[in-house]
Amino acid sequence: MADEKKAKGDKATDKADKGAKSDKAPKAEKAAKSDKAPKAPKAEKSEKAAKGSAGKASRSGRGGEGTSRGAVSAERPKGAAGKPRMKKHYEDQVRPELMKKFGYTNVMQAPQFQKIVVNMGVGDALLDQKLLEAASNELGQITGQRPSVRRAKKSISNFKLREGVAVGCAVTLRGARMYEFYDRLIHAAVPRIRDFRGLSPRSFDGQGNYNMGLTEQLIFPEINYAWT
C-alpha cells in the first residue's frame, strides 16, 4: 500500500511539473513575440527618416547639405510655368491685326500693356486702423501681391485729415501677374457687376491710359462674402 501511494504521489508530481511546463511555454512564446514585435516599427522609422532627409536635400537643392533641425528653408516664389493666356492671345492675334491695320513696321510700335495699378481708398481708416488692414488683406487676395500703404500728402481740416496719415493702399502689377489679373478681371469679375452694361469707352485720357472704378470688391471670386 505504501508503494502504491508513493507511485501515485510520483505520478501527481509528474503531472504538476508537466502542467507548470505547459504554463511556462506559452508565456515564453509570448515574451519572445513581444520582444520581436517592437523591432519592426524601428525599421519603419529609420526608413521614413531616410526618405525625409532625402526629400529635404532634394528640396533645398544643395546636394548632400541639409538644414538643421527646426530650420525652415525659404525659397523665392516661382511664377507660372508657361505664358499667361491673355499675353499669348495678344502676341498671336491682337498684335498682328494692329500691325496690319495701322501699318506698323516694327513690333514695338504696337500698343501693349505696361502696368496695371489697383487703388483702394479707405476713408474710415482715420477712425479705425483695423479697417485699413482688412482692406490691405483683401487687395492682396485679389491681386496676388502685397499692397503698399498710401498716406495723405497734405492736411485738410474740413475732412479731418492730417499729413502722413494712412488713407488707402495700392498695388502695381507688371509682367505675367498683370496679364493674369487682367484675365480674371475681364472674364470673372466684371461680368459679376450688378446691372452690368459694358465699360465706357470714354475713360481713356488721350495717352493710352484707361481708368475704371468699382463700387465693391465682392465681384472678385477671391473674396468670400461670409468673411466680410
Side-chain angles (χ1 to χ4, degrees):
M1 295 294 289
D3 294 335
E4 290 179 0
K5 288 180 180 180
K6 286 181 180 180
K8 290 181 180 179
D10 293 337
K11 290 180 180 180
T13 52
D14 292 338
K15 288 181 179 180
D17 293 337
K18 289 180 180 180
K21 289 179 181 179
S22 62
D23 293 338
K24 290 179 181 179
K27 291 181 180 180
E29 292 177 357
K30 289 180 181 179
K33 289 181 180 179
S34 62
D35 293 338
K36 292 180 181 179
K39 292 182 180 179
K42 289 182 180 178
E44 293 178 359
K45 288 181 180 179
S46 61
E47 291 177 0
K48 289 181 180 179
K51 289 180 180 179
S53 61
K56 288 180 181 178
S58 62
R59 288 176 188 171
S60 60
R62 298 179 181 177
E65 297 181 2
T67 57
S68 60
R69 185 175 181 182
V72 179
S73 58
E75 297 180 358
R76 188 167 183 172
K78 299 178 181 179
K83 288 184 180 180
R85 183 175 63 173
M86 296 304 294
K87 185 176 182 180
K88 200 170 183 181
H89 173 72
Y90 169 78
E91 293 178 352
D92 296 343
Q93 300 182 18
V94 177
R95 189 165 62 187
E97 292 294 331
L98 289 174
M99 294 180 66
K100 182 179 178 181
K101 181 177 180 180
F102 296 101
Y104 296 137
T105 57
N106 191 351
V107 176
M108 302 303 294
Q109 292 178 337
Q112 59 181 346
F113 283 153
Q114 296 293 333
K115 63 181 178 179
I116 294 178
V117 181
V118 185
N119 301 311
M120 181 182 291
V122 187
D124 295 336
L126 297 173
L127 302 176
D128 189 0
Q129 288 294 323
K130 292 182 180 179
L131 297 177
L132 182 62
E133 295 179 1
S136 179
N137 293 333
E138 290 182 357
L139 188 58
Q141 292 177 3
I142 292 170
T143 59
Q145 183 174 316
R146 185 176 181 179
S148 61
V149 177
R150 299 301 171 93
R151 302 182 180 276
K153 295 182 179 180
K154 60 182 181 180
S155 300
I156 302 175
S157 60
N158 293 335
F159 297 107
K160 298 180 181 179
L161 183 64
R162 296 192 308 272
E163 183 179 358
V165 178
V167 292
C169 51
V171 172
T172 301
L173 303 174
R174 290 184 175 89
R177 194 169 291 174
M178 173 188 66
Y179 282 102
E180 290 175 359
F181 173 77
Y182 178 71
D183 190 2
R184 288 185 284 111
L185 176 68
I186 297 300
H187 295 98
V190 172
R192 297 177 64 181
I193 296 176
R194 192 175 301 172
D195 299 332
F196 177 66
R197 296 183 180 180
L199 299 176
S200 175
R202 300 179 182 178
S203 298
F204 287 97
D205 61 352
Q207 297 179 354
N209 300 319
Y210 186 82
N211 298 316
M212 60 173 291
L214 300 174
T215 57
E216 58 183 6
Q217 68 273 22
L218 298 178
I219 61 174
F220 291 94
E222 292 84 4
I223 302 299
N224 190 355
Y225 182 76
W227 294 351
T228 57

